[in-house]
Amino acid sequence: MDMLSFQLVREDERPLYEQLYHQIRQEIIEGRLPYGAKLPSKRKLGQFLSLSQTTIELAYQQLVAEGYVESLPRKGFFVMAYEELAYIKKEEGELHTTAEETESVAYDFHPSLVDASSFPFSRFRKHAKDIIDDSHQELVSLGHPQGDLVLREEIATYLYHSRGVICSTEQIIVGSGVEQLLPLLVLLLKEHRYYGVEDPGYHSVRSIVESHGRKTVPIPVDVNGIVVRQLESSNAELMYVTPAHQFPTGSILSINRRRQLLNWAGTDSSRYIIEDDYDSEFRYSGKPIPSLHSMGADKVIYLSTFSKSLMPSLRIGYMVLPKALLKQYQQEFSYHTSSVSRIDQHILARFMKVDFEKHLNRMRKIYRRKLELLTSLLRPAAPSIAVSGDSTGLHVLLTIANGMTEEELIESARRVSIDVYGLSQYSRNTLPDQLPQIVLGFASLSEEELSSGIYLLLKAWKLH
Amino acid sequence: MDMLSFQLVREDERPLYEQLYHQIRQEIIEGRLPYGAKLPSKRKLGQFLSLSQTTIELAYQQLVAEGYVESLPRKGFFVMAYEELAYIKKEEGELHTTAEETESVAYDFHPSLVDASSFPFSRFRKHAKDIIDDSHQELVSLGHPQGDLVLREEIATYLYHSRGVICSTEQIIVGSGVEQLLPLLVLLLKEHRYYGVEDPGYHSVRSIVESHGRKTVPIPVDVNGIVVRQLESSNAELMYVTPAHQFPTGSILSINRRRQLLNWAGTDSSRYIIEDDYDSEFRYSGKPIPSLHSMGADKVIYLSTFSKSLMPSLRIGYMVLPKALLKQYQQEFSYHTSSVSRIDQHILARFMKVDFEKHLNRMRKIYRRKLELLTSLLRPAAPSIAVSGDSTGLHVLLTIANGMTEEELIESARRVSIDVYGLSQYSRNTLPDQLPQIVLGFASLSEEELSSGIYLLLKAWKLH
């Protein structure tokens, strides 16, 4: 790399790291930095250009994020093959919804992301290979329509010990996640027309319910979770809730509200609560809060997933049906086969048996450290930024008083290559006139990325 | 084993093999034949008891099928651990729908079964391990909602070369099979109320369509496939067909009917044909018949699966959407994530790239040999048994004129531990007054099992 050729202008309106990023990128695109070339170390380039190592780090990270450069631990930064990028470009006509095919950002605070770099690949590989080695003919044919018994046994044991959920293996239905299980549930509950849903809450839950011709009834959420009084005065016959860590506000359904909610369900035999316990594995402070299911198993349909606790791309979740619905399910879904590969079911069962508890404890520590770092990085911006919803899970809620609107907060972050997500996109109703709020997922970023990302974010928000 | 203790009575109404089976089973249950004990060779036991080796083989096979004994190639027959059986028994309260939990039969001619013993485990393992070794962080997070590009590229290439289907990768949606893809389609086609379905045809298709509040319109099937004239005079707005090998009758949609069907779809812009091409990989005679899609891509939604060509338990299928529906799909299913594990998608893509064609050619030979054996075993029973639907796929249709009703055919087979399936269960209407028909899947049985199974079957049907 001809470092002499770089033209960095301190007076430019673009920050220095961005100018540096653009110039290196141009070198790669025009072939002057060929595939495999090593970039100078951050220290060396910083000295040469009289820039701080943080500036170099920011430029390099953006190149990594966009796939121009790869970072090899303890070796340095290397130019990637440009043809591979050209190949990705070919697909630009495609649907733009995944990271690999949209314009990359350097820092993505999306709440659905997990820490992929800490995933225990070596243990997972070991179990996967053992199962694949052992898997002979019997795993080729279809298994149990609700999921193989070996996996349902592990799930039942886990739920009993960790979430206070008492159920038999025959109440468990293994599927590809909420997106595939919720439609089954809607079809099962034929007579139910009105679904209470949290507002703000998951888009996909609303979309699934409505695409099946049912109505959703938005129930507002405050610091104690859903406002059950509003549910009581609605025509909802079911209530979908995330009591352990409301998505996206992060509030925990209070004990009082839990009792109210179960009472609401108890007054009519056809009423049910759908409890989505999506990230309760990661509770950082206070006493563990048992599931709603543990307080009223007859009235609660329990849903959960391995997307947060293991990996989103595994596509395995499950639901626990109350006994009253089970017989009907088994009669009406006799044509059903589980949507999850049997080999994957057996790998997961083995992982759960041997490594799951250890893995969760380790991830809880990693996420707690990230959360503590995030909170400490945001502390200097108090009281202009207030953090809430931070006792559990992989995202927090920021309430921001710097004079910007939600749209301006998102736009200004975007200009420094950071994606953040406003609370309003999770709500159907216009939110009341209040301070703008941002849903901030922290799980996928390394501690270094959190530091530089929050540094840039506070600067973009003029809170630094 | 104390062979002297066996009491076999030639005058008993139970056949000799069944008496032998019961006595060995009793020895195992009562612990006189312990775990791991080797049974005498068929030759030795046959000589000792003055029985034919076929009789011994039948008894041993039934013990194997029920899990009392395992057969190790070139080593012999060994007693299994009885506790494992006890463990299976524990689950008897569970739903009775899978092979492992229902009373086993010695010979199951179910049309959904495949040849698990010929599955190329060593190649599959190799690719699985390579992918698992290579899979790092990038496979942890969610991939493309329609399935990863690498797999869609392999599918597009395969479809082009093998089925004459011309489509771009963005028209392909990867899912867990028809059961998960068909509901998506029903939700997408919001305005369509009336689905033409083949009669006889797949149960599950009818169930899925109706559970979503749509109506099915049964369209009869004859030797040339569906009777399009009947479709024309119905109110159906869509037609679900299996043109390459109608399930379950095995008829092929004639060229004339194909044209008629496409004309029917062409007369109204909202009409579509859903082509389920579930087992067309295995065509044994005549020229390959291209897909309906290749004759009218705008009007055909193409569905297929790897359940027949690889294994049912993989749970991977796909659909190809016409361009007119694609934009709407991408807008309305923006919340959708693919239901298939990304690691599995990449393993399958690798398998398709390297081994799929070879694998299909090998399996086609294996299945053709089994089909030829089956046909030759049934030939002596002609004209009391007529075989049809045997040019493609993994099942044939038997038309039987021995004076028995369909129910009697099934019952008499069941008494010699054989499961066969009557055509009437695939039809909603009472079939016209005609000879009873049996849908006979042959894929999962070995050549020895086919020989002894058909021998017993013809005997049970008094055609021997």
Side-chain angles (χ1 to χ4, degrees):
Chain A
M1 177 158 68
D2 180 8
M3 295 190 290
L4 289 173
S5 71
F6 288 152
Q7 305 280 334
L8 303 178
V9 184
R10 276 177 206 277
E11 295 70 36
D12 196 298
E13 64 172 16
R14 292 182 311 168
L16 288 167
Y17 86 90
E18 198 178 320
Q19 298 179 43
L20 181 60
Y21 149 78
H22 273 289
Q23 296 193 19
I24 299 176
R25 183 167 160 268
Q26 212 51 33
E27 298 283 301
I28 295 171
I29 290 173
E30 290 169 11
R32 288 190 296 276
L33 265 173
Y35 168 61
K38 190 182 175 196
L39 299 189
S41 76
K42 286 176 271 184
R43 198 184 43 77
K44 213 166 144 192
L45 189 61
Q47 282 174 352
F48 186 84
L49 297 172
S50 301
L51 291 171
S52 77
Q53 286 195 36
T54 307
T55 305
I56 313 285
E57 168 76 21
L58 288 170
Y60 279 14
Q61 283 302 344
Q62 179 132 0
L63 290 163
V64 169
E66 296 185 9
Y68 290 97
V69 160
E70 78 179 318
S71 163
L72 298 176
R74 287 180 302 280
K75 288 190 176 159
F77 293 83
F78 296 84
V79 176
M80 298 284 281
Y82 186 62
E83 308 85 85
E84 289 178 18
L85 289 168
Y87 178 76
I88 291 172
K89 288 250 167 71
K90 260 200 337 212
E91 280 300 315
E92 279 186 342
E94 284 226 5
L95 180 68
H96 288 289
T97 47
T98 55
E100 68 192 54
E101 284 161 18
T102 48
E103 202 191 321
S104 280
V105 292
Y107 305 90
D108 188 351
F109 286 94
H110 197 281
S112 75
L113 301 173
V114 303
D115 184 346
S117 68
S118 300
F119 183 78
F121 267 107
S122 65
R123 298 299 300 166
F124 189 81
R125 271 188 206 116
K126 186 197 163 340
H127 297 309
K129 289 179 175 179
D130 287 351
I131 294 292
I132 290 167
D133 274 332
D134 291 351
S135 67
H136 284 276
Q137 297 179 222
E138 81 283 3
L139 284 189
V140 168
S141 47
L142 287 177
H144 195 289
Q146 294 183 201
D148 278 13
L149 184 60
V150 60
L151 177 57
R152 285 182 287 125
E153 283 180 337
E154 290 300 330
I155 291 172
T157 307
Y158 167 74
L159 285 179
Y160 174 69
H161 290 295
S162 303
R163 304 297 301 135
V165 170
I166 299 172
C167 67
S168 72
T169 53
E170 65 166 347
Q171 289 173 268
I172 298 175
I173 295 159
V174 174
S176 307
V178 170
E179 269 185 44
Q180 185 255 331
L181 291 166
L182 193 56
L184 284 185
L185 202 54
V186 175
L187 296 179
L188 180 68
L189 300 166
K190 276 190 289 297
E191 309 296 327
H192 292 71
R193 310 310 301 172
Y194 295 93
Y195 282 65
V197 294
E198 298 169 323
D199 193 347
Y202 275 114
H203 301 296
S204 54
V205 169
R206 268 203 313 264
S207 302
I208 290 167
V209 167
E210 290 173 5
S211 69
H212 286 80
R214 307 304 201 266
K215 303 271 183 228
T216 57
V217 183
I219 306 295
V221 170
D222 65 20
V223 288
N224 293 314
I226 55 157
V227 182
V228 184
R229 291 277 168 254
Q230 296 246 15
L231 173 64
E232 288 165 350
S233 62
S234 79
N235 56 354
E237 304 156 279
L238 288 156
M239 180 69 216
Y240 171 92
V241 271
T242 51
H245 187 227
Q246 203 273 330
F247 188 86
T249 68
S251 60
I252 296 167
L253 194 64
S254 67
I255 272 294
N256 199 25
R257 295 265 177 92
R258 282 170 194 248
R259 286 209 195 93
Q260 265 183 291
L261 182 57
L262 286 163
N263 283 342
W264 167 84
T267 54
D268 187 323
S269 67
S270 71
R271 284 184 181 165
Y272 286 103
I273 300 161
I274 304 170
E275 174 179 28
D276 187 347
D277 206 29
Y278 67 105
D279 73 354
S280 62
E281 294 85 0
F282 303 117
R283 180 160 176 85
Y284 310 113
S285 54
K287 254 182 34 184
I289 295 175
S291 62
L292 252 185
H293 189 278
S294 68
M295 297 172 69
D298 292 347
K299 281 297 179 182
V300 177
I301 298 159
Y302 180 91
L303 272 173
S304 196
T305 174
F306 293 96
S307 290
K308 304 288 177 183
S309 55
L310 271 169
M311 52 173 155
S313 71
L314 196 62
R315 313 306 302 134
I316 306 186
Y318 52 92
M319 64 178 169
V320 179
L321 283 182
K323 287 190 177 134
L325 293 174
L326 188 62
K327 184 153 278 177
Q328 190 199 338
Y329 177 85
Q330 293 178 338
Q331 275 163 3
E332 295 181 16
F333 290 80
S334 58
Y335 66 86
H336 185 66
T337 48
S338 175
S339 63
V340 182
S341 147
R342 282 184 81 190
I343 292 178
D344 292 348
Q345 293 184 41
H346 285 248
I347 293 171
L348 177 57
R350 186 76 61 93
F351 188 90
M352 287 187 80
K353 196 179 192 83
V354 181
D355 287 311
F356 198 48
E357 202 184 326
K358 212 164 37 186
H359 165 69
L360 289 180
N361 289 337
R362 176 171 160 268
M363 293 311 296
R364 200 177 294 115
K365 269 185 212 146
I366 290 173
Y367 288 138
R368 177 187 283 137
R369 214 165 51 219
K370 289 189 182 188
L371 176 63
E372 282 167 359
L373 173 64
L374 177 71
T375 322
S376 75
L377 291 166
L378 291 169
R379 201 165 296 131
S384 302
I385 294 187
V387 180
S388 59
D390 58 344
S391 63
T392 304
L394 309 183
H395 72 271
V396 298
L397 188 70
L398 306 184
T399 307
I400 298 156
N402 66 347
M404 288 179 169
T405 63
E406 188 189 281
E407 210 182 318
E408 288 165 349
L409 290 168
I410 294 168
E411 252 319 297
S412 58
R414 183 79 207 181
R415 278 197 296 274
V416 292
S417 198
I418 295 178
D419 271 351
V420 294
Y421 303 86
L423 187 68
S424 68
Q425 68 162 297
Y426 298 99
S427 179
R428 175 151 309 177
N429 301 319
T430 318
L431 294 175
D433 207 17
Q434 62 184 22
L435 289 172
Q437 296 185 298
I438 294 289
V439 180
L440 202 76
F442 58 84
S444 72
L445 302 172
S446 68
E447 299 192 18
E448 294 70 41
E449 287 167 333
L450 277 175
S451 300
S452 46
I454 295 296
Y455 170 87
L456 287 172
L457 193 61
L458 293 183
K459 213 164 157 180
W461 290 349
K462 305 188 194 310
L463 289 169
H464 208 42
Chain B
M1 175 158 69
D2 181 9
M3 296 190 289
L4 288 173
S5 71
F6 288 150
Q7 306 281 333
L8 303 179
V9 185
R10 277 178 205 278
E11 295 70 34
D12 195 300
E13 64 173 16
R14 293 181 310 167
L16 288 168
Y17 86 90
E18 199 179 318
Q19 297 179 44
L20 181 61
Y21 148 78
H22 272 290
Q23 297 194 19
I24 299 176
R25 183 166 160 268
Q26 213 51 34
E27 297 283 301
I28 295 171
I29 290 173
E30 291 169 12
R32 287 189 297 275
L33 266 172
Y35 169 61
K38 191 182 175 195
L39 299 189
S41 76
K42 286 177 271 185
R43 197 186 43 79
K44 213 166 142 191
L45 189 60
Q47 282 175 351
F48 185 85
L49 297 172
S50 302
L51 292 171
S52 77
Q53 285 193 39
T54 309
T55 305
I56 314 285
E57 169 75 20
L58 287 169
Y60 280 14
Q61 284 302 344
Q62 179 132 359
L63 290 164
V64 169
E66 295 184 10
Y68 290 98
V69 159
E70 78 180 321
S71 162
L72 298 177
R74 289 180 301 278
K75 290 192 175 156
F77 292 83
F78 296 85
V79 175
M80 298 286 280
Y82 187 63
E83 307 85 83
E84 288 176 21
L85 288 168
Y87 179 75
I88 292 170
K89 290 249 169 71
K90 259 201 337 212
E91 280 299 316
E92 278 186 341
E94 286 225 5
L95 181 68
H96 288 291
T97 48
T98 55
E100 67 191 56
E101 285 162 16
T102 48
E103 199 191 323
S104 281
V105 292
Y107 305 89
D108 189 352
F109 285 94
H110 197 281
S112 76
L113 300 173
V114 302
D115 183 346
S117 67
S118 299
F119 184 77
F121 267 107
S122 65
R123 298 298 299 164
F124 189 80
R125 270 187 206 117
K126 184 196 165 341
H127 297 309
K129 288 179 177 180
D130 287 350
I131 294 292
I132 290 168
D133 274 332
D134 292 352
S135 67
H136 284 277
Q137 296 178 220
E138 81 285 2
L139 284 188
V140 169
S141 47
L142 286 176
H144 195 289
Q146 294 182 206
D148 280 12
L149 184 59
V150 60
L151 177 58
R152 285 182 288 125
E153 284 180 336
E154 290 300 330
I155 291 172
T157 307
Y158 167 74
L159 286 179
Y160 175 68
H161 291 294
S162 305
R163 304 297 300 136
V165 170
I166 299 173
C167 67
S168 72
T169 53
E170 64 166 349
Q171 288 173 267
I172 297 175
I173 294 160
V174 175
S176 307
V178 171
E179 268 185 44
Q180 185 255 330
L181 292 166
L182 193 55
L184 284 185
L185 203 53
V186 175
L187 297 179
L188 180 68
L189 301 165
K190 277 191 288 296
E191 310 297 326
H192 293 71
R193 311 309 303 171
Y194 295 93
Y195 282 65
V197 294
E198 298 170 323
D199 192 347
Y202 274 114
H203 300 295
S204 55
V205 168
R206 268 202 315 261
S207 302
I208 290 167
V209 168
E210 290 174 4
S211 69
H212 286 79
R214 306 303 200 270
K215 303 269 182 231
T216 57
V217 182
I219 305 295
V221 171
D222 65 20
V223 288
N224 293 314
I226 55 158
V227 182
V228 185
R229 291 277 168 254
Q230 295 247 13
L231 172 64
E232 288 164 350
S233 62
S234 79
N235 55 354
E237 304 156 279
L238 288 156
M239 181 69 215
Y240 170 93
V241 271
T242 50
H245 187 227
Q246 203 273 330
F247 187 87
T249 67
S251 60
I252 296 167
L253 193 63
S254 68
I255 272 292
N256 199 26
R257 294 265 177 95
R258 281 169 195 250
R259 286 209 196 92
Q260 265 184 292
L261 181 57
L262 287 163
N263 283 342
W264 167 83
T267 53
D268 186 324
S269 68
S270 70
R271 284 185 181 163
Y272 286 103
I273 299 161
I274 303 170
E275 173 178 28
D276 188 347
D277 206 27
Y278 66 105
D279 73 354
S280 62
E281 295 86 359
F282 303 117
R283 181 160 174 82
Y284 311 113
S285 53
K287 255 183 31 184
I289 295 175
S291 62
L292 252 185
H293 189 277
S294 68
M295 298 171 69
D298 292 346
K299 282 296 180 184
V300 177
I301 298 159
Y302 179 91
L303 271 172
S304 195
T305 174
F306 293 96
S307 290
K308 304 288 177 182
S309 55
L310 271 169
M311 54 173 153
S313 71
L314 196 61
R315 313 306 303 132
I316 307 186
Y318 53 92
M319 64 177 169
V320 179
L321 284 182
K323 285 186 180 141
L325 293 174
L326 188 62
K327 184 153 279 175
Q328 189 199 338
Y329 177 86
Q330 292 178 339
Q331 276 164 3
E332 294 182 15
F333 291 81
S334 59
Y335 65 86
H336 185 66
T337 48
S338 175
S339 62
V340 182
S341 149
R342 283 185 82 192
I343 292 178
D344 292 347
Q345 293 185 42
H346 286 247
I347 294 171
L348 177 56
R350 186 77 60 92
F351 187 90
M352 288 186 81
K353 196 180 193 81
V354 181
D355 287 311
F356 199 48
E357 203 184 324
K358 213 165 36 188
H359 165 69
L360 289 180
N361 289 337
R362 176 170 159 267
M363 293 311 296
R364 199 178 295 113
K365 269 185 213 145
I366 291 173
Y367 288 138
R368 177 187 283 135
R369 216 167 47 222
K370 288 188 182 187
L371 177 63
E372 283 167 359
L373 174 64
L374 177 71
T375 321
S376 75
L377 291 166
L378 291 169
R379 200 165 298 131
S384 302
I385 294 187
V387 180
S388 58
D390 57 345
S391 64
T392 305
L394 309 183
H395 71 271
V396 299
L397 188 69
L398 306 183
T399 306
I400 299 157
N402 65 348
M404 288 180 170
T405 63
E406 188 190 283
E407 210 183 317
E408 287 164 351
L409 290 169
I410 294 167
E411 251 321 296
S412 58
R414 182 80 207 179
R415 277 198 296 273
V416 292
S417 199
I418 295 178
D419 271 350
V420 293
Y421 303 86
L423 186 68
S424 68
Q425 68 162 298
Y426 297 100
S427 180
R428 175 149 310 174
N429 301 319
T430 317
L431 294 175
D433 207 19
Q434 61 183 22
L435 288 172
Q437 296 185 297
I438 294 289
V439 180
L440 201 76
F442 58 83
S444 72
L445 302 172
S446 69
E447 298 191 18
E448 294 71 46
E449 288 166 335
L450 277 176
S451 299
S452 46
I454 295 296
Y455 170 87
L456 287 172
L457 193 61
L458 292 183
K459 214 163 155 179
W461 290 350
K462 305 188 194 311
L463 290 169
H464 207 41

